[in-house]
Amino acid sequence: AQSVTQLDSQVPVFEEAPVELRCNYSSSVSVYLFWYVQYPNQGLQLLLKYLSGSTLVKGINGFEAEFNKSQTSFHLRKPSVHISDTAEYFCAAAIQGAQKLVFGQGTRLTINP
Amino acid sequence: IAGITQAPTSQILAAGRRMTLRCTQDMRHNAMYWYRQDLGLGLRLIHYSNTAGTTGKGEVPDGYSVSRANTDDFPLTLASAVPSQTSVYFCASSEGRIGDTQYFGPGTRLTVL
């Protein structure tokens, strides 16, 4: 069974509009949760991560995510997107008791002018 | 600081040939990882190493081998390449504790014909 599920493979939005990228995780993974971004033809870089504490996590480039234990979700949001946010976004979780990560399938965010 | 370097950037390989993908990090990280990225499947862990001298199998290890003779280098070998190994390969490293950020290289695009 998939441990981390990203519900949308593609999300098109207009510039300056808000966006939410959805991520759900299963009980087979820990609650160490991550969002990574991959710009075209590049490797992945960390946007933000949740380890413990406040359920609202702020990351780079104006992104934030909210850990919701009851919904087993870790959705990524940005109130106003820019053309430069065009990229693929990956949700990931640490495997129980290990530093290995399991990734979701990815969501391609396309920003239209 | 280079971070993680991977070589080659891209390669076209005949089926049945042996190929080694190189990965070097200069951050003195304990842990290193190899992933493959395929459309619609996200990133899947091939092999990992928690520290120099040790390696472990990930989610999709068949057809691949790794070694970790020192802290900095973590080569991935395809002993006899098959077309299903056509993919983009990413090397990553982390300090090795649960919840640590993984830092990714730029990737190697491999095509097996």
Side-chain angles (χ1 to χ4, degrees):
Chain A
Q2 183 69 27
S3 303
V4 177
T5 303
Q6 293 182 241
L7 299 165
D8 305 294
S9 59
Q10 296 187 61
V11 173
V13 294
F14 288 106
E15 194 172 15
E16 298 184 6
V19 68
E20 179 180 81
L21 306 184
R22 297 179 293 168
C23 174
N24 286 89
Y25 64 93
S26 71
S27 58
S28 66
V29 299
S30 73
V31 292
Y32 293 157
L33 300 163
F34 305 76
W35 276 98
Y36 283 84
V37 60
Q38 182 181 30
Y39 298 107
N41 300 312
Q42 294 185 28
L44 280 70
Q45 62 184 85
L46 183 73
L47 267 181
L48 51 80
K49 64 181 178 181
Y50 172 81
L51 302 182
S52 66
S54 172
T55 57
L56 184 63
V57 181
K58 293 190 183 297
I60 62 170
N61 300 338
F63 283 93
E64 63 181 33
E66 185 153 20
F67 169 62
N68 188 319
K69 188 174 182 179
S70 63
Q71 306 269 354
T72 61
S73 68
F74 189 55
H75 300 336
L76 181 71
R77 302 186 184 100
K78 186 170 182 178
S80 176
V81 295
H82 189 266
I83 290 285
S84 60
D85 293 322
T86 296
E88 186 138 19
Y89 293 78
F90 291 94
C91 183
I95 295 171
Q96 289 280 7
Q99 67 268 37
K100 294 178 289 182
L101 296 180
V102 58
F103 284 82
Q105 305 95 319
T107 297
R108 184 169 300 276
L109 178 63
T110 305
I111 313 298
N112 299 307
Chain B
I1 297 177
I4 296 184
T5 57
Q6 291 185 238
T9 301
S10 65
Q11 182 76 43
I12 299 174
L13 189 67
R17 298 297 296 269
R18 180 184 180 89
M19 176 74 192
T20 295
L21 308 185
R22 300 185 297 278
C23 174
T24 300
Q25 54 112 351
D26 63 3
M27 297 175 281
R28 307 302 294 171
H29 282 167
N30 288 316
M32 297 187 75
Y33 313 85
W34 273 106
Y35 295 90
R36 60 177 289 172
Q37 182 181 20
D38 302 289
L39 193 64
L41 298 176
L43 277 78
R44 293 178 292 169
L45 183 66
I46 304 171
H47 285 287
Y48 65 96
S49 168
N50 289 335
T51 189
T54 70
T55 63
K57 294 181 179 180
E59 183 184 356
V60 288
D62 294 343
Y64 306 95
S65 63
V66 292
S67 61
R68 186 92 183 276
N70 57 60
T71 298
D72 299 342
D73 301 299
F74 191 44
L76 176 74
T77 297
L78 290 67
S80 179
V82 295
S84 62
Q85 292 177 311
T86 294
S87 187
V88 182
Y89 291 85
F90 288 100
C91 180
S93 71
S94 75
E95 291 186 13
R97 296 163 302 193
I98 298 173
D100 280 345
T101 298
Q102 291 188 13
Y103 296 87
F104 285 78
T108 293
R109 183 174 297 275
L110 181 66
T111 302
V112 182
L113 301 176

